[in-house]
Amino acid sequence: VQLQASGGGLVQAGGSLRLSCAASGRTFSSIVMGWFRQTPGKEREFVTAISRLGSVTSYSDSVKGRFTISRDNVKNTVYLQMNGLKPEDSANYYCAAQIVYFGSHVYTRESEYDYWGQGTQVTVSS
């Protein structure tokens, strides 16, 4: 599975950004997708994930109510809509994928994903 993330940038606190992650190389509806983020000197942390058909989502407490994950299984793309951005949301955001063939799983741990995109930088100014 190849992943290409995009949409990062510089935004003021309180603003919004939408990240996209396009996947190829596998039937998209057989892939659980997740977003993680990382800042220098810190471990990568879970942000959100969505099941293969989009029926189940999971969010970290730090973004719940502000971020929304969605997917388009026709366009083979997962989206992360980020509203109410805070300076502490500044990080390099990575999309991740794990192949599953059935069920409504979501994965919240880095070790549960086999495939990773290259990251897109989000910077929120105060």
Side-chain angles (χ1 to χ4, degrees):
V1 178
Q2 292 78 46
L3 303 173
Q4 182 69 43
S6 61
L10 174 63
V11 64
Q12 289 188 333
S16 298
L17 279 176
R18 189 176 81 155
L19 306 184
S20 300
C21 178
S24 61
R26 181 72 68 167
T27 303
F28 193 59
S29 60
S30 64
I31 302 174
V32 172
M33 297 296 298
W35 287 96
F36 289 72
R37 64 187 183 187
Q38 188 173 26
T39 54
K42 292 189 176 181
E43 294 186 355
R44 198 173 297 184
E45 66 168 346
F46 170 76
V47 177
T48 182
I50 189 167
S51 61
R52 64 184 187 92
L53 298 181
S55 60
V56 178
T57 58
S58 178
Y59 296 91
S60 68
D61 289 342
S62 61
V63 307
K64 198 172 295 182
R66 300 186 297 122
F67 290 12
T68 303
I69 189 171
S70 62
R71 66 189 295 156
D72 186 330
N73 283 2
V74 174
K75 295 183 178 180
N76 294 350
T77 302
V78 65
Y79 304 99
L80 178 59
Q81 179 66 44
M82 305 186 293
N83 298 329
L85 283 161
K86 305 175 182 180
E88 51 264 43
D89 293 318
S90 297
N92 205 1
Y93 282 71
Y94 297 88
C95 58
Q98 179 60 301
I99 299 170
V100 296
Y101 294 105
F102 54 87
S104 301
H105 312 81
V106 290
Y107 301 123
T108 62
R109 291 179 290 186
E110 186 178 354
S111 61
E112 293 175 308
Y113 290 89
D114 287 338
Y115 304 95
W116 293 85
Q118 83 288 3
T120 184
Q121 180 67 38
V122 171
T123 303
V124 184
S125 63
S126 57

